[in-house]
Structures are given as C-alpha cells and as structure tokens.
C-alpha cells in the first residue's frame, strides 16, 4: 500500500542521552573515529543497518535500549567525554586565530560556494572530486578555525545511485532524500517560521527556497532547497537532482545557488550574528552569479555598475577546476538575457553589462554563448587552478581574455588540492602513527600538518607496516565480496549461482585500485587495450595482480556507459572474475575502504586533462603507492619512492588511438617488470622490504604535502587575506575612483605608445654583447594625457627562441626622466644587465599601474613597440 503522506517521527532521547543529539547533528563524527565508535556501541547491528549514519541510528534504536543506556554509568561517562571533546573542538583557539592575533589581518568571514559538497555518505550531495574537495575544504577550515560559511543546494535526489543490468549496462536510481532524515536542520526566523529566499523569474513567477543548515565542525553549511509548498511545481523541482536536466534547469539552479546563496548568507548572519563575509570564494563557475547579486546589493547603496564591479571583484576568489570544455557551463545568451533585467532577477542591473561579463571575447569564442568560467574570471580579482600544471594549462586556456600578455602572465595562479586526512586515513593507519607520537599529536599532524611529526613514520618497524597493509587488504577483500554478491543479486542471480564469490580476490595478492567518475578523458578502459596481456598479468603463476574498479558515468553519457559495460563484461569472464571486479555505486563509503585496501592506485588520464586528481592522494595517505600518468598533482610531487610514472605519448601528431596503444603498453610493462616484482620480492624476513620502504617514504615525505590543511592555509595566506585587504580598501568612494581611473585608462589607451627605443652605451656590436655588461635604455613613450603614475614602463628581457620570442622574460622597471615634450611624450630610462649568455633579446612595454590592482595584467591592457619602432631601435640582439 502506498502512503498518502509521510512524516518523520523524531526520537525523544531520555534526558541523560541528550548530548547524543548534538553529536549526531554535528558532522564532525564523520572524521572523528571515537565519536563513531560511541554511536556504534549504542547498537552495533543498528549501526550497520543505518549505514554508519548517527541520525538514522538514533531514529531506529528501540526505546528500551535507550532507557538502559540512560542508566549505564560507563556509557554516560563516555558520552560526556565525547560531548566535552566536541565542545573543546568548537570553541578552542586554532591556527587561524593565532595568525590573526599575530597581525595577519585575516577576513572576518569567508563564504564558500559550491554546487556540490561531499562531506559524508550520510549526506549524499556530491557526484565526485569537485564536491568531495569542497567537503574536505570545509572540514580543514574547521580544523584550522577558519571562519568559512559553506553555501550549496540541497538536492532532493542527490546524485544518482548506480546499479548494473544483467549484461552490464548502468542503471540509475534516484531515491528520495527526506531532509528530516538527514543531518540538517531548517534555518528559522526568530518567530520560528522557516527562513526563505525568493528570486523573481520571468513572467512574474517566483522561485522560493528554504535554507537547511548542516554543521561541519565549526563551519556552517547552508543548503538551499526549492521544494517548498508555495512554489509552483516547476520551481519546486529546481533542486531535484545534481547535474540533471536541461539548460534552463541548470541556469535556475545556478541562479538559486549564486543569487539565492548570497541572500541565504545575509539571512544567516542576521539571525546568528555571524560576521559578514569579506571574501566570497566560488568553487568552479557554477556559483558565479553570486558576484551579480553583490553588484545589485551595492547598486542599491548608490554605486554605479562599474564601481560596484570593482568593489565586488576585490573580495572575490574564483577557482577553476577543469580544462575539459564539457566541464564548463555555457548558456545561450538569450536564455540568460531572458532571466535577468526588469522582467526577471536583478532589476536595476543592466542586462547588457551582465551579458558582456560572460562573453567569450577571444579567437574561437562563441558569440552567442554565455560562459560561466569567463564570467567567474571577470568577477574575481583573484583566480586559481588546482595544481601547478593545471595553473599553467588554465593560463594558456584563458590567455585570450588578456590579449597582449604571454600566457605566463595571465593572472591565474594555482593552489594544489589537498585531502582531509582525518576523513580519509583508515583508523588502522592512524593508530600506527599514534603509537609513535601519541593520539593528540597524530591528530594535529593529520589536520594541521607539520612535517617533523610525520618523520616519526621512519621509526615504524617493517613488520608493523606490513601487518597493517595486510589487514587493510583483507578487509577490502571481504568488502568487495559483499558488494559483489549484492550486485549480482541485483543483476538477477540466485545464491546457488554465486558460490564463486567466496573465492574472489586474495588477501595476499598485489591489489590495484581504479575508481573515479567515467568521463572519457579518465580512460576507464585503457587497461583493456590488450585483453590477453591484461589476462596474463591477472593470472600470472607467481606474481599475479588483482584489480578493483568502480565508477559512475553521467546519466546522459552513453559513451561512458559503454565503457562501464566493456569493463563489466571483462570482469564477468569466469577465467578472470576472481581477479578483477567492477563494483557499482562508487561513493564515499566505498572509497573509504578502497583506498586503504589497495597496494597501488592507478590513474591514467589523457594528460593534461586531469586538473589535480585527489583519489591518489587519499590512497597515498594510507600507504598505497601511485601508478599514474604524470598529470595533476602527480606531475608536481612524483618521486621514485612514491610509485611509478606511466610514460605519456603526447607528442604532437600522435593520434588518440595510437596514444592509447602506447600508453597502455607502457602500463603493462610497468606492472609486469617493476611493480609486481617489487611487491613479490621477499627478503629474509619474508617481507617485501623495498616495497615497505616506499610505503614509509610515501607516508613520511609525501603525506604532509597532500593535506587539505596545507591547502586551506595556502588559500588563506595567498588568496583570502589579500582579497580581504583589497575588499577593505575599496569603500564606495575608492571603488568609484578606481572605476573612474580604469575608464580613463581604457579611453586613452589606443593612443598610448612606445615611440622610440634606444640603447645608449650599447656594446651590441654586430649583434653580440658581452656577459656582465649593461645597456642603458632610453625610451620615449606617448601617454595621451595620462601621467607617469598611471603607468609602468618596463623592459622585458630574456632568452629568445628562433622566432625572436622572449621565452623566460624578466622585467626591469624604467624610470621617468623627463617630459612631457611638446608632443606630449615622456622620456624613460633604466639599466638592463646582460646577465646570461646565448641568444638574448629585450623589448619595452607600457602597462597600467595603480596600487589597487592585484596584477598589472588586471585590465588586459598593454602597449608594445610597433614593428617599425622595434626594428629602428634594434631591439633584438642575436
Ligand atoms: C576522491 C574521490 C573522487 C575524486 O577522485 P579523482 O581521482 O579526483 O577522480 C571521486 N569520487 C569519490 C567518491 C572520491 O572519494
């Protein structure tokens, strides 16, 4: 029978057990093993059934059991200890407070927006790496005491759950998530009514949303939910699922996230007295509309669009996460135009100006599309990619937005991702460290970092490390069998057919893991390139390997689903099914077992499309070695002690098919010749000593770099603190002045020019010069009414390639030495040291200069000598 209405009956906890409710509602339990153990001891079986979710557990524990526990002195003592520990965690002064007290002038609050958050499997609001990174960011911020407010959407179906059909085709399910059964609570006004935000839609419609809050340690996470009764059915569905629906659906989600999100933050601050954010951070472009809402807020305070834009940019940070075009949101211009302006949201903000912000004004750009990443870059004075390599790739990719600048100068920096170790390090591994240095210091080492503490790993005995690795591998074997059995039942098999599953995987065989989403660039099936070869590796008589694979394809991606099916069919083959498995429904709960249980983590994307990749980091923190293409973080921190680099066949002109062949071949070779021999190379003590040494190095030397604590500290120091200072500097008057100055510069710029360049005391005879000599440059520039303080005139010098392009240029500021002459030209001078041998060249350029610009590329304006000026002056020397 189908119920006509559902509601949730909340458990009433006996008074002495009340603290359980706080412990369950603060998601810190998800990275605090002791709190989880406390919940588990309430009802071990119920804990299993509740999927390790305290809120569900409390809803299911029989009242009689609760009554007993309320009398159980030992339990109550543990409960008090856990509650006190949480209290200390929430109140104590931490890294951020220490920095701030030392005069770092850190922001009073930072709002962090993301379309998905992966905090725990119990709050399934993520699809993959982007969301889990956002979750790790909040958790690390909490550990460090950084005052973040997370902002996202609450999707009624989350992302989909994956299962398989009999023949291996991905099936998608969308279970309904009832917020009343999730670890969230409604934000309410003082009178108890639920707080609401409301957006105006075209045709007089409204999009309303409630605000749910989750507590992530010290950090509140606000999640907007459009499933409220006074919305029309269409609007109720706006937050139905993550990354589902067509273009208009996506646009509405992103308007709610960006615009509604700012309103939710304002509401939250009003109700709780939380400090207002000085910095807004948008995790990928989806939340970019937050900048427009803040422009609207300032317009209401009397600022014109350009001045408001300056004020908003100063305090905005934008992180780009992908060089894959399909990962970037682009909307039809018309669609965006239709939703903004006087008939839609942001009345009073000129629609044309909005549209310009998202325009792809570079060669190859689509004039009719509105690009969220491009808008993100224009609305943020500070932007970054997520690994050193990805920073460089992003600068190339977006260089067209800064014409006249070399990609190296494009103002996009990078902060390499990290992962939240307390979430991802298995308790067994944690205890290895805790035995050396004590639990408290081990906890600090994982959350805050500090490499001395990690050095203690060096003293752990080989046998101890290997025992733990074996235990973890064995746990994974049992987990895999359980999941595989469940999957086969779902695929329609009866128990009688499934006896073979008890023999799947072997706790003593080298175990390789590969799990991630299935976009084509990640190449799920590269390992199947030569199936016979792979079979030989799996079935090797003395050095076999076993492989665990998992991953979801996007529901609209049939190509990805074909890859899944190909993998499943291979793994179904009775000849190999005990050595390779595909586990459906990859998610955080599976990941937490998978990373620690594997010996080797495989990653074979098409370089350089993996912006960072974080699963390999989580694996490494558990002593798993990486086997990866040199992409993302691995390109930066690879070391021969940490694993193996799969060589890349990315020479220009190699077609993709051939490239896959070459790289797959290299992968097989590595496994056969290097990885497996080392794993099975047992010394006198029957231990693989060289392998264990690699595990030890991975933990001790690589480990501390991989922490989300390290990442968040970098964001604070390199991006949030400067953004907060810039934000404070831009009060309304200053914002107006800066906007006015920019307008003046843009107006004058077409007539700003380098007129004449000469090198006095030039020792460049016949095009050669001596190392150590100095050129005195004299340059005449036309500034068209601008003053010397408005610009910087620079010499740029360095090695030149065969096309006379300066490759590793250094800049030398030149000083004004007179002017203006009768034609309004200024003289600039300065020395240029010839401090390196070989082909060398220099040029001169003029850039805008203002103390409030984050970089001189900020306006995208630069003036360089015309061809004639350059040649007449003999600018280049060979
Ligand atoms: C870490 C993680 C990811 C991201 O993995 P990548 O290597 O960055 O692709 C995806 N899904 C889950 C469940 C994860 O834990």
């Amino acid at each position: 029978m189908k119920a006509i209405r559902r509601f949730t009956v909340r458990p009433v906890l006996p008074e002495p057990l009340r603290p359980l409710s706080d412990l369950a509602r603060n998601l810190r339990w998800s990275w605090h093993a002791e709190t989880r153990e406390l919940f588990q001891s309430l009802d071990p079986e119920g804990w299993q059934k509740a999927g390790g979710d305290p809120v569900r557990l409390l809803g299911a524990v029989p009242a009689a059991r609760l009554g007993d526990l309320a009398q159980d002195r030992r339990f109550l003592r543990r409960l008090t200890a856990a509650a006190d520990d949480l209290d200390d965690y929430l109140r104590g002064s931490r890294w951020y407070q220490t920095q701030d007290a030392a005069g770092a002038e850190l922001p009073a609050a930072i709002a962090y927006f993301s379309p998905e958050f992966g905090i725990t499997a119990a709050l399934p609001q993520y699809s993959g790496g982007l969301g889990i990174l956002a979750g790790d960011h909040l958790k690390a911020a909490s550990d460090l005491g950084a005052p973040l407010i997370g902002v996202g959407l609450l999707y009624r179906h989350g992302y989909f759950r994956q299962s398989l059909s009999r023949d291996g085709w991905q099936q998608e399910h969308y279970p309904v998530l009832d917020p009343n059964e999730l670890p969230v609570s409604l934000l309410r006004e003082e009178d108890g009514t639920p707080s609401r935000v409301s957006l105006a839609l075209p045709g007089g419609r409204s999009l309303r949303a409630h605000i749910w809050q989750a507590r992530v340690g010290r950090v509140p996470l606000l999640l907007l939910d459009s499933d409220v009764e006074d919305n029309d059915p269409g609007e109720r569905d706006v937050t139905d699922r993550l990354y589902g629906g067509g273009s208009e659906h996506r646009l509405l989600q992103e308007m709610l996230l960006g615009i509604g999100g700012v309103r939710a933050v304002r509401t939250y601050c009003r109700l709780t007295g939380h400090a207002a954010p000085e910095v807004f951070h948008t995790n990928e472009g989806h939340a970019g509309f937050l900048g427009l809402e803040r422009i609207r807020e300032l317009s209401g305070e009397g600022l014109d669009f350009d001045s408001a834009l300056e004020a908003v940019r100063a305090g905005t940070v934008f992180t780009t996460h992908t060089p894959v075009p399909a990962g970037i949101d682009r909307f039809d211009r018309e669609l965006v135009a239709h939703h903004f302006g006087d008939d839609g949201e942001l009345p009073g903000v000129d629609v044309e100006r909005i549209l310009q912000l998202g325009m792809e004004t570079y060669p190859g750009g689509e004039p009719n599309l509105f690009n969220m990443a491009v808008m993100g870059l224009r609305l943020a004075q500070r932007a970054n990619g997520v690994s050193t390599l990805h920073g460089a790739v992003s600068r190339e990719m977006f260089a067209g937005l800064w014409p006249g600048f070399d990609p190296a100068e494009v103002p996009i920096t990078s902060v390499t991702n990290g992962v939240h170790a307390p979430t991802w390090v298995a308790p067994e591994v944690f205890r290895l460290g805790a035995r050396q240095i004590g639990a408290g210091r081990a906890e600090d080492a994982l959350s805050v970092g500090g490499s001395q503490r990690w050095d203690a790993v060096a003293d752990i005995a080989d046998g101890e490390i290997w025992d733990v690795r074996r235990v973890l591998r064995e746990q994974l074997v049992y987990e895999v069998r359980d999941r595989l059995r469940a999957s086969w039942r779902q695929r329609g098999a009866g128990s009688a057919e499934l006896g073979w599953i008890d023999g799947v995987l072997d706790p003593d065989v080298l175990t390789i893991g590969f799990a991630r989403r299935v976009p084509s660039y990640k190449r799920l099936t590269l390992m199947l390139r030569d199936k016979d070869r792979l079979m030989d590796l799996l079935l090797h008589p003395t050095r076999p390997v076993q492989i665990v694979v998992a991953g979801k394809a996007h529901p609209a991606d049939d190509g990805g689903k074909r890859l899944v099916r190909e993998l499943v069919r291979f793994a179904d083959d009775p000849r190999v099914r005990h050595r390779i498995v595909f586990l459906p429904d990859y998610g955080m709960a599976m990941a937490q077992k998978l990373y620690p249980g594997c010996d080797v983590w495989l990653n074979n994307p098409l370089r350089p499309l993996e912006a960072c990749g974080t699963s390999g980091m989580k694996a490494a923190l558990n002593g798993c070695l990486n086997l990866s293409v040199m992409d993302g973080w691995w390109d930066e921190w690879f070391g021969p002690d940490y694993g193996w680099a799969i060589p890349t066949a990315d020479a220009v002109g190699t077609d993709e098919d051939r490239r896959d062949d070459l790289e797959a071949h290299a992968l097989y070779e590595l496994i056969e010749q290097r990885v497996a021999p080392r794993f099975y190379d047992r010394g006198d003590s029957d231990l693989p000593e060289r392998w264990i040494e690699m595990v030890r190095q991975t933990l001790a030397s690589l480990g501390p770099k991989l922490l989300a604590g390290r990442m968040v500290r970098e964001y604070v120091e390199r991006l949030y603190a400067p953004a907060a200072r810039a934000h404070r500097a831009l009060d309304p008057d200053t914002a107006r002045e800066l906007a006015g100055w920019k307008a003046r510069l843009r107006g004058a710029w077409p007539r700003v020019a380098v007129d004449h360049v000469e090198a006095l005391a030039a020792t460049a005879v016949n095009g050669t010069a001596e190392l150590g000599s100095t050129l005195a440059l004299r340059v005449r520039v036309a500034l068209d009414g601008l003053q010397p303080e408005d610009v910087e005139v620079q010499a740029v010098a360095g090695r030149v390639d065969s096309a006379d392009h300066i490759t590793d240029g250094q800049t030398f500021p030149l000083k004004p030495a007179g002017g203006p002459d009768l034609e309004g030209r200024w003289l600039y001078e300065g020395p240029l040291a010839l401090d390196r041998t070989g082909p060398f060249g220099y040029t001169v350029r003029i850039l805008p200069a203002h103390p409030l610009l984050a970089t001189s590329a900020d306006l995208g304006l630069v003036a360089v000598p015309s061809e004639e000026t350059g040649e007449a002056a003999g600018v280049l020397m060979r």
Side-chain angles (χ1 to χ4, degrees):
M1 250 177 297
K2 197 167 158 53
I4 55 163
R5 194 158 295 153
R6 65 177 282 152
F7 50 89
T8 307
V9 183
R10 290 202 182 250
V12 180
L13 291 171
E15 185 59 37
L17 299 184
R18 283 288 158 82
L20 279 174
S21 169
D22 293 336
L23 285 168
R25 299 218 153 251
N26 193 314
L27 293 169
R28 189 200 181 217
W29 62 257
S30 68
W31 70 94
H32 197 248
E34 281 166 45
T35 309
R36 283 199 304 276
E37 283 153 18
L38 180 78
F39 280 112
Q40 188 175 13
S41 66
L42 242 87
D43 178 356
E45 210 172 302
W47 177 250
Q48 199 76 22
K49 280 207 197 100
D53 173 354
V55 171
R56 271 170 66 195
L57 172 79
L58 290 182
V61 184
R65 172 75 183 145
L66 291 177
D68 288 348
L69 285 169
Q71 313 283 330
D72 180 340
R73 313 253 321 241
R74 243 190 90 218
F75 182 81
L76 292 179
R77 267 201 304 279
R78 283 177 67 203
L79 176 57
T80 308
D84 287 351
D85 182 78
L86 177 61
D87 215 48
D88 285 350
Y89 177 83
L90 296 179
R91 282 177 224 296
S93 170
R94 300 188 154 254
W95 173 84
Y96 196 87
Q97 286 68 36
T98 325
Q99 297 295 301
D100 210 27
E105 297 179 55
L106 301 179
I110 302 119
Y112 178 93
F113 285 60
S114 175
E116 44 172 315
F117 284 93
I119 315 256
T120 149
L123 188 57
Q125 298 289 319
Y126 62 90
S127 78
L130 180 74
I132 290 163
L133 178 82
D136 281 6
H137 195 103
L138 296 193
K139 292 170 183 172
S142 170
D143 290 343
L144 293 168
L148 261 71
I149 302 174
V151 184
L153 300 178
L154 186 87
Y155 305 96
R156 278 303 165 110
H157 300 278
Y159 199 50
F160 72 93
R161 304 288 303 267
Q162 179 195 46
S163 64
L164 297 171
S165 73
R166 182 86 199 198
D167 71 341
W169 192 251
Q170 170 176 299
Q171 313 285 302
E172 294 111 27
H173 317 267
Y174 292 91
V176 184
L177 302 171
D178 180 348
N180 293 304
E181 293 166 11
L182 295 176
V184 295
S185 56
L186 264 186
L187 185 67
R188 292 177 186 278
E189 297 296 312
E190 273 120 12
D191 65 4
T193 55
S195 298
R196 273 202 336 192
V197 299
S198 178
L199 270 66
L201 299 185
R205 291 175 301 144
S206 299
L207 169 59
R208 304 178 182 93
H210 283 161
I211 305 162
W212 295 92
Q213 36 168 340
R215 310 295 311 181
V216 186
R218 302 163 71 117
V219 171
L221 168 59
L222 310 178
L223 299 168
L224 286 98
D225 174 9
S226 71
D227 189 9
V228 300
E229 276 183 9
D230 40 2
N231 270 338
D232 289 342
E235 279 75 68
R236 282 184 82 148
D237 282 345
V238 165
T239 53
D240 57 353
R241 17 178 109 154
L242 177 57
Y243 303 145
S247 214
E248 178 160 9
H249 190 74
R250 276 295 271 280
L251 180 67
L252 290 178
Q253 286 191 339
E254 297 185 10
M255 287 176 68
L256 184 61
L257 175 60
I259 299 169
V262 173
R263 294 176 189 168
V265 168
R266 302 297 183 215
T267 306
Y268 178 79
C269 292
R270 167 172 61 75
L271 289 169
T272 60
H274 196 291
E278 295 185 284
V279 175
F280 286 76
H281 182 178
T282 158
N283 188 40
E284 196 42 274
H286 312 67
F289 292 128
L290 71 88
L292 300 181
E293 165 66 1
R294 290 162 59 227
I295 289 176
R296 186 200 60 81
E297 289 179 333
L298 292 169
S299 307
E301 292 165 29
L303 275 191
D304 61 287
F305 186 94
D306 286 312
S307 309
L309 176 62
E310 292 307 330
V312 165
R313 285 182 79 239
T316 306
V317 175
F318 169 61
T319 301
T320 171
H321 281 271
T322 180
V324 180
I328 293 179
D329 270 320
R330 296 154 95 204
F331 296 110
D332 275 340
R333 256 170 81 84
E334 288 306 312
L335 185 70
V336 176
H338 181 59
H339 283 81
F340 288 98
D342 293 333
D343 188 37
E345 250 309 328
L346 309 183
V349 181
D350 183 356
V351 181
E352 270 313 307
R353 299 301 308 271
I354 294 178
L355 293 175
Q356 278 167 18
L357 288 170
M359 252 187 53
E360 299 183 341
T361 52
Y362 41 75
E366 285 282 346
N368 291 320
L369 289 183
F370 184 93
N371 183 312
M372 293 297 281
V374 166
M375 179 177 72
L377 290 166
R378 291 200 176 114
L379 283 175
Q381 204 177 44
R382 287 171 183 77
N384 69 290
V386 290
S387 68
T388 303
L389 177 61
H390 177 236
V393 170
S394 303
R395 287 189 287 276
E396 289 274 355
M397 181 170 163
F398 293 110
L401 295 178
W402 288 270
F405 289 86
D406 283 346
E409 295 180 299
V410 165
I412 301 176
T413 182
S414 65
V415 176
T416 304
N417 286 342
V419 296
H420 186 247
T423 299
W424 296 107
V425 170
E428 292 80 358
V429 177
F430 175 77
R431 283 199 287 269
L432 263 187
R435 275 208 291 278
Q436 298 291 317
I437 57 174
R441 290 174 67 201
E443 234 172 72
D444 279 355
L446 290 190
S447 53
V448 185
S451 49
Q452 304 94 328
R453 290 173 173 159
W454 289 74
D455 291 346
V457 175
D459 304 330
I460 306 175
D462 278 7
E464 264 184 83
I465 291 183
W466 197 240
D467 284 349
V468 168
R469 299 278 342 134
R470 169 96 180 25
V471 166
L472 295 168
R473 197 183 307 115
E474 186 173 39
Q475 285 178 6
L476 175 62
V477 169
Y478 290 120
E479 172 87 11
V480 164
R481 289 177 190 165
D482 287 348
R483 285 182 181 266
L484 197 61
R485 202 171 287 113
S487 169
W488 269 108
R489 289 242 169 79
Q490 243 252 317
R491 291 172 75 182
S495 318
E497 296 172 73
L498 297 179
W500 61 275
I501 288 182
D502 292 329
V504 165
L505 302 194
D506 177 335
D508 290 307
V509 165
L510 168 58
T511 306
I512 301 180
F514 182 102
R516 40 186 59 86
R517 292 179 304 111
V518 191
S520 57
Y521 78 88
K522 293 193 186 242
R523 295 194 294 189
L524 171 73
T525 53
L526 188 73
M527 66 178 90
L528 300 184
R529 202 70 194 170
D530 181 342
K531 295 194 171 87
D532 294 336
R533 189 85 198 267
L534 177 62
M535 236 180 240
D536 289 346
L537 291 173
L538 297 171
L539 302 176
H540 193 284
T542 52
R543 296 195 300 264
V545 303
Q546 56 194 10
I547 308 183
V548 183
V549 187
K552 292 176 172 180
H554 187 278
D557 175 17
D558 280 348
K561 292 185 205 176
R562 276 192 288 275
L563 299 182
V564 170
R565 185 175 58 190
E566 196 188 339
L567 206 293
V568 172
R569 284 186 174 166
F570 182 83
D572 283 353
D573 184 333
R575 286 174 296 172
V576 293
R577 65 188 182 186
H578 60 301
R579 286 280 155 74
I580 180 167
V581 293
F582 179 89
L583 300 181
D585 208 29
Y586 182 45
M588 288 183 78
M590 186 198 297
Q592 281 168 321
K593 294 273 187 248
L594 194 49
Y595 305 142
C598 289
D599 298 292
V600 170
W601 195 252
L602 173 63
N603 181 35
N604 50 33
L606 268 178
R607 185 179 195 268
L609 297 182
E610 187 63 84
C612 179
T614 50
S615 55
M617 295 179 163
K618 298 177 237 173
L621 282 175
N622 285 286
C624 176
L625 307 180
N626 275 270
L627 170 59
S628 170
V629 163
M630 291 291 263
D631 202 2
W633 74 275
W634 189 238
D635 184 65
E636 198 164 326
W637 288 327
F638 161 78
D641 289 339
Y642 311 147
W644 298 268
I646 304 170
T648 321
D650 55 356
V652 222
T654 313
D655 72 66
E656 257 186 44
D657 227 28
R658 171 126 181 85
R659 182 168 166 180
D660 284 357
D661 275 340
L662 290 169
E663 295 184 9
H665 181 76
L667 171 63
Y668 300 135
E669 289 283 309
L670 269 173
I671 295 177
E672 185 184 78
Q673 308 289 331
R674 309 271 298 282
V675 182
R678 181 153 299 183
F679 182 87
Y680 289 106
D681 171 19
R682 303 296 154 99
D684 302 337
S685 49
D686 203 28
L687 295 175
E689 281 146 20
R690 291 171 67 202
W691 188 281
I692 295 171
E693 188 50 31
M694 287 175 79
V695 172
R696 194 181 273 122
Q697 289 298 327
T698 297
L699 291 171
S701 314
L702 181 56
K705 298 186 180 126
L706 307 180
L707 303 180
R710 188 268 312 146
M711 166 183 74
V712 172
R713 284 197 318 242
E714 275 193 54
Y715 273 103
V716 168
E717 287 165 355
R718 294 177 43 213
L719 295 166
Y720 297 163
R725 282 195 290 273
H727 159 82
R728 287 170 198 164
L730 279 177
D731 57 61
D733 285 341
T734 316
R736 275 190 201 99
E737 188 200 307
L738 181 59
W741 176 83
K742 281 193 177 177
R744 196 156 57 81
L745 249 85
R746 289 208 172 92
W749 208 258
R751 289 165 306 281
V752 167
V754 179
D755 260 9
H756 186 73
V757 179
E758 68 192 291
L760 296 180
T763 41
V765 182
N766 300 331
T768 62
E770 275 178 20
L771 182 69
S773 59
T774 301
L775 297 185
L777 289 184
R778 272 185 134 217
V779 177
R780 244 175 308 144
V781 300
L783 295 185
D784 190 56
L786 298 178
Q787 296 301 305
E789 59 268 26
D790 293 327
V791 297
E792 172 156 345
V793 180
Q794 302 176 330
V796 184
R799 211 171 289 285
V800 287
D801 63 17
S802 55
D804 283 350
H805 200 87
I806 299 174
T807 48
D808 54 350
Q810 262 189 301
T811 58
F812 302 88
L814 303 178
K815 291 208 173 67
D821 67 10
L822 292 176
E823 291 153 69
R825 295 179 307 182
W826 296 77
L827 186 65
Y828 276 75
E829 288 180 353
L832 179 63
L834 302 180
D835 57 0
R836 68 186 87 184
T837 54
F840 184 84
Y842 68 85
T843 186
V844 171
R845 65 180 183 176
I846 312 172
L847 298 165
H850 192 286
L852 292 172
L853 299 185
T855 77
S856 43
D858 189 283
L859 284 82
L861 297 177
V862 56
V864 293
S866 64
E867 298 247 317
E868 305 86 71
T869 315
E871 271 169 26
V875 169
L876 288 159
M877 272 180 306
R878 309 236 87 231

